[in-house]
Amino acid sequence: MEKYISVQDIENAALARLPRNARDYYKSGATEEQTLGENRSAFRKLRIRPKCLIGVSDCDLSTTALGARVALPVGVSPTAMQRMAHPDGELANARAAQAAGTIFTLSTISTSSIEEVAEAAPDAIKWFQLYIYKDREVTKRLVQRAEKAGFKAIALTVDTPLFGIRRADVRNQFALPGHLKLANFEGMMSNKINSSSNGSGLNEYVRDLFDKSLTWDDIAWLKSITSLPIVAKGVLRGCDAARAARAGCAAVLVSNHGARQLDGVPATIEALPEIVAAVKKYNVEVYMDGGVMTGTDVYKALALGAKMVFVGRPALWGLTVGGQAGVARVLDILRTELEYTLQIAGTPTIADITRDMVRHESEYAK
Ligand code: FNR
């Protein structure tokens, strides 16, 4: 894996290797894919302002999330159907997160089950991403299985009443290859996605099964069936972050679902400051994902107030090129780049990365 020097190298190799159905599913954003590009380019508009002669011998990348110590502030976001990337799928991804001492988030619509992941990576800090189904009994069983299997939080996805339009999936009539299934389910709910009648099979699945009547009031229901902390994943407005806090969520993950839901929404690094400001008076943590490709991206998000940063696609690209070793390489590159950044910027620990370490490019143009 050493030949890959950047996350971009790994992405390029993965895109060249994946079959079209999976490649397009993993890489696509919603409709015109404006936000998909901006999730990345918005980081470039921020400038890091290094401090000199600080003394950086004791560099430390560790931090905490929901009370657990993590070795680096970069975790793995939930992405569906990872066995299209590698036969070991989610198991390999979770093992890499475990080895790196960080968080692995398992998607509801995964191709390895909650129990399989728990067994493969018993010491990883595991979170379970939840989609709420119309069938609340089905939903409740998922949550209770995750809790029983040792998962430490429920990341409730709040940006998905339905799936966004990803044109390539419509063109390809995306369906999960026949040898794979949605491993957390049985019967129709596990194999409904193996075929599509017209357009994207995934969108049909979501339309038929997810509960789009969901409101903030349903957090109370979720809290009534689990004692795990809840992370509201997919918030882009300060007022929603405050609502999540008032509803009893322990954290908010600023995310636009990898630009896959609605095109034209803000890049997540742009939305982050509004959300950090909105929850200042509440005791909630703020995380972000979307477009993170380098250690300096991670640094900028931390400076703007994120406690953790997560990566979705980069882990999929690592999985594609080398299974567990590929994801490990992605996390290792991000760790090394972040470590360099912390030292050269004169902020040797995570706590040293204050808001003033970053400025928007427009402030230099004045
Ligand atoms: C996702 N994402 C996602 N989110 C979620 O809550 N449940 C899911 O099952 C999935 N599945 C999924 C599949 C694929 C292929 C992608 C690319 C994304 C969104 C994911 O958790 C995360 O928010 C983004 O991937 C972050 O952006 P980057 O890191 O991919 O740029």
Side-chain angles (χ1 to χ4, degrees):
M1 292 294 124
E2 273 63 36
K3 69 176 176 190
Y4 301 116
I5 306 302
S6 64
V7 175
Q8 186 66 60
D9 285 350
I10 297 178
E11 174 176 319
N12 295 346
L15 290 176
R17 191 176 295 196
L18 283 166
R20 190 176 70 172
N21 187 54
R23 183 199 63 205
D24 287 356
Y25 169 66
Y26 289 155
K27 84 178 176 54
S28 291
T31 57
E32 298 282 312
E33 301 189 332
Q34 177 189 340
T35 304
L36 185 64
E38 287 174 353
N39 265 357
R40 287 189 187 182
S41 62
F43 280 107
R44 296 173 179 265
K45 297 184 182 158
L46 296 167
R47 307 283 189 247
I48 298 170
R49 305 169 59 234
K51 295 180 190 170
C52 302
L53 297 182
I54 292 295
V56 294
S57 321
D58 296 319
C59 182
D60 182 2
L61 299 187
S62 69
T63 184
T64 61
L66 299 178
R69 180 138 294 270
V70 290
L72 85 160
V74 182
V76 178
S77 271
T79 53
M81 299 179 277
Q82 297 180 3
R83 284 185 197 232
M84 294 193 300
H86 188 275
D88 297 338
E90 293 83 0
L91 308 184
N93 207 343
R95 285 188 189 116
Q98 173 175 274
T102 193
I103 297 162
F104 172 76
T105 315
L106 179 69
S107 168
T108 289
I109 48 178
S110 53
T111 42
S112 314
S113 70
I114 292 167
E115 292 76 15
E116 288 171 315
V117 170
E119 197 188 326
D123 299 328
I125 307 163
K126 295 174 291 294
W127 292 358
F128 181 68
Q129 176 271 326
L130 183 69
Y131 285 127
I132 295 192
Y133 285 67
K134 288 177 193 164
D135 186 334
R136 289 296 171 97
E137 276 308 306
V138 164
T139 313
K140 186 173 165 187
R141 272 199 299 280
L142 287 171
V143 172
Q144 292 178 336
R145 281 168 59 194
E147 190 160 357
K148 185 162 170 239
F151 284 63
K152 295 292 183 220
I154 300 295
L156 174 68
T157 301
V158 295
D159 61 10
T160 309
L162 66 169
F163 266 21
I165 298 168
R166 303 149 198 172
R167 290 176 180 155
D169 292 345
V170 181
R171 272 190 207 106
N172 296 341
Q173 304 215 333
F174 175 82
L176 184 62
H179 67 288
L180 300 174
K181 60 175 186 147
L182 296 188
N184 287 324
F185 302 95
E186 308 256 287
M188 178 276 281
M189 294 188 83
S190 101
N191 58 29
K192 186 179 164 56
I193 206 164
N194 294 103
S195 63
S196 80
S197 55
N198 180 21
S200 163
L202 187 62
N203 285 45
E204 290 173 29
Y205 174 93
V206 170
R207 187 194 57 220
D208 292 349
L209 298 175
F210 287 12
D211 184 356
K212 64 159 139 172
S213 72
L214 225 54
T215 71
W216 288 108
D217 293 340
D218 292 298
I219 304 281
W221 172 78
L222 187 55
K223 286 176 76 75
S224 78
I225 62 161
T226 182
S227 56
L228 293 177
I230 297 166
V231 180
K233 173 178 183 288
V235 170
L236 289 172
R237 297 170 63 103
C239 56
D240 277 346
R243 283 198 87 162
R246 287 198 299 273
C249 294
V252 168
L253 203 168
V254 180
S255 175
N256 53 28
H257 211 113
R260 292 159 76 80
Q261 285 297 91
L262 190 60
D263 202 20
V265 301
T268 46
I269 193 70
E270 290 174 337
L272 179 62
E274 172 184 339
I275 286 151
V276 169
V279 297
K280 227 182 194 125
K281 64 177 178 178
Y282 301 101
N283 183 25
V284 296
E285 297 186 345
V286 178
Y287 320 123
M288 71 83 70
D289 72 18
V292 172
M293 292 287 284
T294 67
T296 50
D297 292 344
V298 176
Y299 187 92
K300 290 169 182 177
L302 298 179
L304 295 188
K307 189 128 177 53
M308 283 284 293
V309 168
F310 289 81
V311 291
R313 292 185 189 82
L316 288 172
W317 309 143
L319 204 53
T320 304
V321 302
Q324 180 182 344
V327 181
R329 184 67 184 152
V330 167
L331 294 173
D332 195 42
I333 290 169
L334 291 172
R335 180 194 303 103
T336 302
E337 290 180 353
L338 183 61
E339 200 169 23
Y340 271 69
T341 309
L342 252 66
Q343 295 181 71
I344 299 172
T347 50
T349 73
I350 301 295
D352 295 326
I353 311 173
T354 46
R355 177 68 184 81
D356 67 306
M357 293 309 298
V358 157
R359 238 184 225 170
H360 194 267
E361 64 174 13
S362 60
E363 293 182 60
Y364 285 97
K366 282 174 194 161

